[in-house]
Amino acid sequence: MAHMIVAGNWKMNASKDAVAELLNGLKQGAAAVKNVKMVVFPPFPYLAQAQLELSGTDIHIGVQNVCAAGEGAYTGEVSLAMAKEFGVSYVLVGHSERRALYAEDDAQVAAKYVATQLVHMTPILCVGETLEQREKGQTLSVVTGQIQAVINVAGGASFANAVIAYEPVWAIGTGLTASPSQAQEVHHAIRAHVASIAPKQACSLKILYGGSVTAASAEELFAQADIDGGLVGGASLQADSFLAIGQAAK
Ligand code: PEP
């Protein structure tokens, strides 16, 4: 399969100084990571810094969230057009922290997904089960249900310009990682579900794994047939560890 994607979600971390150090480290090391698409997701205030520092590198920029509406009276929100002005090309939609902490439901997630594609940016649709759902044997139905909710609105062909990130909620920020075979089982089910509606798009669809990925766990995860890279939180905050994960994806 063509190139892998390694995406770094900085969440609400960093400062101007920390961002300068991180971007500088990424700039220095990026050239050594070949045939892997690296994407960083800084908090909004650091987008200009990221755009400036990463110009001339192959590292792409994404945002962690966006408003589905175009412009107007949406206090506190940021539009896709604004993000685009800073060189943003990827948008995380439906991250489990937004679903859990900000009550984003499937309809809002689908609206953000559609709005992102309308402006020719790429949504990374995040899906995943909680520990309770896994223990009840609901993992595959939860995950395919979250994807189906987007298909119902955007259609299966929309996956020609989208990425899916499978992130078990119990593995995010906990230090617990799904085993390579647990992750592969879900990734395979995701691809099969998309294939049942959009076979052509399912073949080339990138499905990333997220949940406490480290340089140590990345290689075995990325070796699985249906894992096309990673969405990385904590380990993306240090240039060395993020670049090492990029190397593992080669
Ligand atoms: C994430 O934020 O999407 C994530 C997977 O975080 P972490 O790698 O810290 O678990």
Side-chain angles (χ1 to χ4, degrees), residues 9 11 95 167 171-173 210-212 231-234:
N9 175 14
K11 311 195 191 196
H95 191 283
E167 301 203 294
I172 297 180
S212 299
L231 178 54
V232 184

Side-chain angles (χ1 to χ4, degrees), residues 56-204:
T57 74
D58 282 337
I59 301 178
H60 300 250
I61 304 172
V63 285
Q64 301 168 22
N65 180 39
V66 87
C67 181
E71 65 176 342
Y74 300 95
T75 300
E77 294 292 296
V78 173
S79 75
L80 284 150
M82 292 170 187
K84 211 170 192 181
E85 285 195 296
F86 293 93
V88 168
S89 48
Y90 288 88
V91 179
L92 292 185
V93 300
H95 191 283
S96 65
E97 286 154 16
R98 296 216 55 90
R99 292 182 193 259
L101 301 174
Y102 301 99
E104 276 189 19
D105 60 18
D106 282 339
Q108 287 168 296
V109 172
K112 291 181 185 197
Y113 176 101
V114 169
T116 299
Q117 290 190 329
L118 274 176
V119 295
H120 308 293
M121 289 156 80
T122 304
I124 299 186
L125 171 64
C126 303
V127 297
E129 81 288 2
T130 62
L131 186 57
E132 194 188 348
Q133 289 165 333
R134 175 163 280 267
E135 284 171 350
K136 286 187 184 155
Q138 298 168 342
T139 299
L140 300 185
S141 63
V142 166
V143 165
T144 54
Q146 288 170 332
I147 293 168
Q148 187 59 41
V150 167
I151 293 174
N152 290 345
V153 177
S158 72
F159 285 104
N161 177 31
V163 172
I164 291 178
Y166 166 57
E167 301 203 294
V169 177
W170 49 272
I172 297 180
T174 58
L176 300 172
T177 310
S179 69
S181 62
Q182 278 176 324
Q184 167 58 22
E185 182 195 8
V186 182
H187 281 233
H188 179 75
I190 290 172
R191 200 178 303 282
H193 185 78
V194 175
S196 69
I197 293 144
K200 192 164 143 246
Q201 288 77 7
C203 281
S204 54

Side-chain angles (χ1 to χ4, degrees), residues 23-40:
L23 291 171
N24 193 41
L26 293 177
K27 239 171 30 177
Q28 309 284 324
V33 183
K34 299 204 191 312
N35 302 321
V36 178
K37 190 175 275 186
M38 304 287 283
V39 192
V40 292

